[in-house]
Each structure stands twice: as structure tokens, then as C-alpha cells.
Amino acid sequence: MTLIPPINFAEKLARLSEHWSPRVVAELNDYQFKLVKLQGEFVWHTHQDSDEAFIVLAGHMEIGFRDGTVTLQAGEMYVVPRGIEHITRAPRECHALVVEPRGVVNTGDAGGSLTANNDVWI
């Protein structure tokens, strides 16, 4: 067996220049681990067939729902259940790890200019 080196989040994040453009760093079965830089406000959207996990690595972010908001600090995680409309926000740059099944589009059912190319590795 050939050993694969560990994944260094700081090195990978240093290579990301765009906000809201998740990049795959690993796969586990059919799930992808995606690093993303967030800043500003995303779009309201829903993932009908998939839960979506956010793990904040640096900074803080909000996940807004129609009936409230969850705020996440570095070291915290939240799972948005499938089918729940949500929006992500970060007043200042935030670094997060998103865990979701392969093929999930970042803007879900909303589409638009913030839709990132899918399955792009860094």
C-alpha cells in the first residue's frame, strides 16, 4: 500500500482565491469533503435529496432559515437537513469544510451566478 500524505487545510485554503467556490480535498465512499471560503451573502436554496454539513475552520458564519438563524464559530459544525431552505452568510472571510454527497451543486435548486463548477479538486 502506498501511503497518501495528510491533507493540510491551510495549504489548500491558501490556493483558493474565490469566495463561494468549494473545492474537493477528499472523498469517503460517495461523500466529498470540500473546502470553501465564504464572505458576504450566498443565495436562498434547497438540496432536496441531501443533507449538508458545515464545519467552520476559521472565522464565523451564519446559516439562515426562514424561521431563524444559526451562528457557527471556528470549531463548530451544523448539519442542514435535506429539503430545508437556507442561506449562508459571513460578514468577514470564513473558512469552512463542507461534507456532502458527490454531485451536489452548491446553489441547490436556485442556480444562478454563484453556481460553482462541481467536482473540482484542489
Side-chain angles (χ1 to χ4, degrees):
M1 175 177 100
T2 302
L3 290 179
I4 298 170
I7 297 164
N8 184 296
F9 292 153
E11 289 175 7
K12 298 287 188 182
L13 284 161
R15 295 172 53 193
L16 288 179
S17 58
E18 295 179 53
H19 295 115
W20 308 112
S21 294
R23 297 294 182 250
V24 180
V25 295
E27 285 188 331
L28 174 70
N29 300 320
D30 293 332
Y31 279 79
Q32 292 184 324
F33 294 77
K34 301 174 182 178
L35 288 175
V36 64
K37 290 182 177 180
L38 315 172
Q39 187 170 0
E41 188 168 275
F42 201 50
V43 296
W44 284 98
H45 65 285
T46 305
H47 302 284
Q48 290 298 335
D49 300 319
S50 172
D51 299 335
E52 184 176 32
F54 293 90
I55 303 165
V56 176
L57 304 174
H60 68 278
M61 67 178 285
E62 296 178 349
I63 304 172
F65 302 96
R66 292 297 182 186
D67 59 353
T69 299
V70 173
T71 300
L72 298 176
Q73 305 293 329
E76 294 183 324
M77 173 182 154
Y78 192 84
V79 177
V80 177
R82 73 187 73 204
I84 302 297
E85 188 179 28
H86 61 284
I87 187 170
T88 49
R89 304 179 189 99
R92 288 176 291 288
E93 187 171 88
C94 173
H95 301 166
L97 181 67
V98 178
V99 182
E100 58 195 1
R102 184 184 309 117
V104 171
V105 176
N106 68 328
T107 53
D109 62 348
S113 64
L114 291 176
T115 301
N117 290 329
N118 209 356
D119 203 31
V120 178
W121 286 73
I122 190 167

